[in-house]
Amino acid sequence: MQNEIGFMLGKSPFANNLEERILHRHKSKGWAALAGRVVNLASQAENGRSEDDTEQYLEEFHAALMSCSLLPNSPLLVNAGEEKQRVFACFAVDVRRPIDEILPIFRFIHDGMGGVGYTVSGGEGSLTSLVQTIDQDTVAHQSGRPRPASNAVTMPIDGDLGAFLSMAGKLSVTNMNVAIDDGFMEALDSDAIAMRRLRSVATSIHQSGQPGVLFPGRLSRIAREEAPPFAANVCGEAPLAVDESAPLASLNLVRFCKLNGSGFTAFDERAFVRHAQLATRFLDGIHDYQCHGTGTMRLNTMATRKIGVGVMGFAHALILCGIRYGSPESTVFAERIAGLLMSAVRTESERLARKFGPYPSWRPEHGAPRRNAGLVAIAGTATLALIAGTTGGIEPMFSPVLSQTVIGKTMRLVDPIVMYMLTNHGIDQGRAEARLLAGESLREVAGDKLADLMPSASDVPGDQHIVVQAAFQRHIDCGITKTINCPSTTTEEQILGWIRMAHSLGCLGMTIYRDGSLDDQPMRRA
């Protein structure tokens, strides 16, 4: 750990728990063989591309995987090397068709570990029946899947809101979103009906953590067909036209924090940019190998070649840099990271377009020709963050001590970066770990200075969560998976205020979860 911090592939505390899900049928071959399968897929994608540096690219890509500096979405990790290359994570399905045509498409995607988003208009009388049928069918076909499948349904706020909100907290595997256009938000102070509807959304969030909020006027709406419906994927970071899909990858910011004997030195921007280029090249290449569920989905997806390069480990990187999450310094750091990421991905996509042509639906009004219509999307990276042993996406550290349930197995441990920081500040590791696991607070064990540097998610005020998210959003073209994890004492009025603030600062969407709203929440402060 003298030069860098972070876990190598397969060395995370959660690696044993994750073997059944990620290694799946290849469990006996181990984690190193996983990297080999992914690199083989990258090599296939290079065939016929006439790049001059293919060997160097593949070597760098393999090293990035092994160091967990770069990880593609988990469906790709599981399915790379399978006969059917179902390696994309994000899907949007058009549900304006008979239910017996819809359900087989959902099943095909779910069997490949993809998540499905869909949009309902909210005006049809069968709204709840449709959503409940899809939810129940997803649950009924979970057997044999590496992980339980999930969906996301989005409805405009001017739809049948009462019927929609009546399902909040009652669906098994379906996240709910309400789409709120800019005109609605701007009318709140003068329109009592609009305010009443938004308050009902805030009440539902307070009670169940559902629905999430999406501001669809900010979506980039590039598609093969003119003006199709769009749907948010399961976590909301990759807005897609219906019957379209995209692959994701995430860069682990912790791996670009360089250390020496005395502690932190600098964030390696040059290495970060290079890894963003590697991710872009890889994600574009695998578009030619994805096994799509329908011919229409293949046509739509290949017409735009959307990708989503994102980040994880932001909170851990802040800690290593000596910056408190939510502080002015953290938003400056967020803007710098987001700007570098967007610039690097755009530059590489434009380079690929010069060599191999832009995405087929490209038009001059879209800007400079590039290979991919969507570029940067920051996912929640729940599973990837566990593999890398870091914090998810741009979320704060959930808690210094985690009680984490992974595939039915619960682990209780001290956050690895917390342990590193305690040791680096001369605090006995074994004694500190024992005290934290026994229930003492980080402040009691580490003192005020370190405790202030490493806040838990619920210790970060809601407005600071939003300011950090907005700092990233200002520089990227797609969405961000972000949840305000707030204390159980949070009020409906606070939730209402956060929705309005997120809109005013330019966020594309958000989720709010009040601690204890659900009995089976997967992460708990321990």
Side-chain angles (χ1 to χ4, degrees):
M1 281 195 177
Q2 289 185 347
N3 296 318
E4 55 187 14
I5 276 189
F7 292 100
M8 301 292 287
L9 188 63
K11 303 300 182 183
S12 160
F14 299 101
N16 289 339
N17 292 30
L18 289 166
E19 284 182 350
E20 292 292 337
R21 173 181 295 175
I22 300 301
L23 302 185
H24 199 40
R25 287 185 284 270
H26 305 278
K27 182 179 176 181
S28 63
K29 299 177 182 178
W31 288 93
L34 167 62
R37 290 198 305 278
V38 177
V39 171
N40 284 340
L41 183 57
S43 179
Q44 292 174 39
E46 290 292 301
N47 288 339
R49 281 205 159 195
S50 68
E51 294 272 34
D52 298 329
D53 62 343
T54 297
E55 186 175 344
Q56 177 185 341
Y57 156 67
L58 293 175
E59 288 177 359
E60 289 184 79
F61 184 62
H62 183 266
L65 294 171
M66 290 301 299
S67 65
C68 292
S69 301
L70 186 170
L71 290 174
N73 50 225
S74 49
L76 188 144
L77 296 178
V78 173
N79 295 321
E82 296 289 322
E83 183 178 351
K84 290 183 178 180
Q85 300 277 20
R86 288 183 281 186
V87 294
F88 284 17
C90 300
F91 296 80
V93 170
D94 192 343
V95 296
R96 299 171 302 171
R97 61 185 103 183
I99 192 68
D100 60 350
E101 294 180 20
I102 296 169
L103 296 180
I105 298 172
F106 275 71
R107 294 170 196 160
F108 181 86
I109 294 168
H110 289 148
D111 288 346
M113 284 185 67
V116 182
Y118 63 101
T119 296
V120 293
S121 68
E124 60 268 40
S126 58
L127 164 66
T128 56
S129 175
L130 173 66
V131 175
Q132 290 167 351
T133 298
I134 293 172
D135 187 74
Q136 292 163 6
D137 189 79
T138 302
V139 172
H141 291 83
Q142 299 286 40
S143 178
R145 291 170 178 160
R147 70 175 177 193
S150 57
N151 306 308
V153 56
T154 302
M155 188 197 78
I157 196 168
D158 59 1
D160 189 346
L161 192 60
F164 190 68
L165 296 182
S166 71
M167 296 184 286
K170 299 175 184 177
L171 299 170
S172 298
V173 293
T174 302
N175 297 318
M176 298 168 59
N177 298 310
V178 60
I180 310 176
D181 63 41
D182 293 341
F184 181 97
M185 293 299 297
E186 291 161 3
L188 285 175
D189 291 329
S190 59
D191 188 334
I193 295 176
M195 180 60 79
R196 190 158 56 244
R197 292 178 78 82
L198 191 61
R199 283 189 182 278
S200 68
V201 171
T203 298
S204 181
I205 292 171
H206 186 267
Q207 294 172 349
S208 67
Q210 298 278 347
V213 172
L214 177 70
F215 303 117
R218 286 136 191 217
L219 298 181
S220 173
R221 293 179 176 269
I222 298 173
R224 181 174 72 92
E225 296 182 346
E226 197 70 30
F230 270 65
N233 70 302
V234 167
C235 295
E237 75 281 346
L240 300 167
V242 292
D243 288 342
E244 190 179 35
S245 61
L248 309 177
S250 297
L251 308 184
N252 179 4
L253 296 176
V254 170
R255 302 300 299 193
F256 306 103
C257 294
K258 298 301 176 182
L259 308 165
N260 59 22
S262 61
F264 172 77
T265 55
F267 184 82
D268 192 339
E269 294 186 355
R270 183 175 180 181
F272 176 68
V273 166
R274 178 55 183 157
H275 281 71
Q277 293 168 336
L278 294 175
T280 305
R281 181 168 171 174
F282 173 70
L283 293 181
D284 177 67
I286 63 172
H287 263 282
D288 301 318
Y289 289 87
Q290 165 70 7
C291 179
H292 293 278
T294 69
T296 300
M297 187 164 286
R298 177 174 179 80
L299 282 173
N300 290 345
T301 302
M302 294 297 284
T304 59
R305 301 184 72 92
K306 291 175 183 174
I307 62 173
V309 183
V311 297
M312 58 183 167
F314 176 66
H316 274 172
L318 286 176
I319 291 170
L320 294 172
C321 295
I323 302 171
R324 178 185 167 89
Y325 194 106
S327 67
E329 293 80 7
S330 73
T331 61
V332 171
F333 188 62
E335 297 228 26
R336 181 61 179 162
I337 294 297
L340 284 170
L341 181 62
M342 186 66 195
S343 176
V345 175
R346 182 193 295 115
T347 298
E348 178 65 5
S349 187
E350 290 175 356
R351 184 192 73 82
L352 292 169
R354 289 193 295 272
K355 291 205 71 171
F356 310 116
Y359 58 87
S361 291
W362 177 83
R363 296 190 296 273
E365 57 265 32
H366 296 167
R370 59 185 189 272
R371 186 69 171 163
N372 318 97
L375 299 172
V376 175
I378 301 178
T381 67
T383 300
L384 298 187
L386 293 177
I387 294 172
T390 192
T391 48
I394 63 167
E395 299 289 0
M397 181 179 70
F398 187 78
S399 172
V401 179
L402 287 178
S403 179
Q404 174 81 52
T405 301
V406 181
I407 316 179
K409 301 174 184 177
T410 299
M411 289 187 65
R412 191 166 176 268
L413 73 161
V414 179
D415 182 282
I417 295 297
V418 170
M419 291 305 301
Y420 170 80
M421 294 298 290
L422 294 176
T423 304
N424 202 44
H425 284 76
I427 298 172
D428 180 80
Q429 186 180 80
R431 188 160 179 262
E433 183 176 25
R435 291 175 65 188
L436 288 167
L437 291 174
E440 291 190 54
S441 70
L442 182 59
R443 196 167 297 277
E444 290 171 315
V445 172
D448 290 342
K449 185 175 181 180
L450 274 180
D452 288 342
L453 176 62
M454 299 186 284
S456 298
S458 60
D459 296 328
V460 177
D463 59 345
Q464 292 182 12
H465 281 263
I466 295 167
V467 166
V468 169
Q469 180 179 349
F472 276 97
Q473 190 69 70
R474 278 191 286 274
H475 297 275
I476 68 174
D477 62 332
C478 295
I480 299 170
T481 298
K482 180 74 186 73
T483 300
I484 298 179
N485 281 293
C486 53
S488 59
T489 54
T490 299
T491 66
E492 293 179 19
E493 201 64 31
Q494 286 176 298
I495 291 171
L496 186 66
W498 292 336
I499 295 172
R500 300 189 72 173
M501 180 181 180
H503 179 264
S504 69
L505 293 183
C507 295
L508 194 150
M510 66 186 304
T511 302
I512 301 168
Y513 182 76
R514 185 176 63 87
D515 188 45
S517 299
L518 298 176
D519 293 333
D520 59 346
Q521 61 189 48
M523 296 177 68
R524 294 184 182 274
R525 296 184 66 160

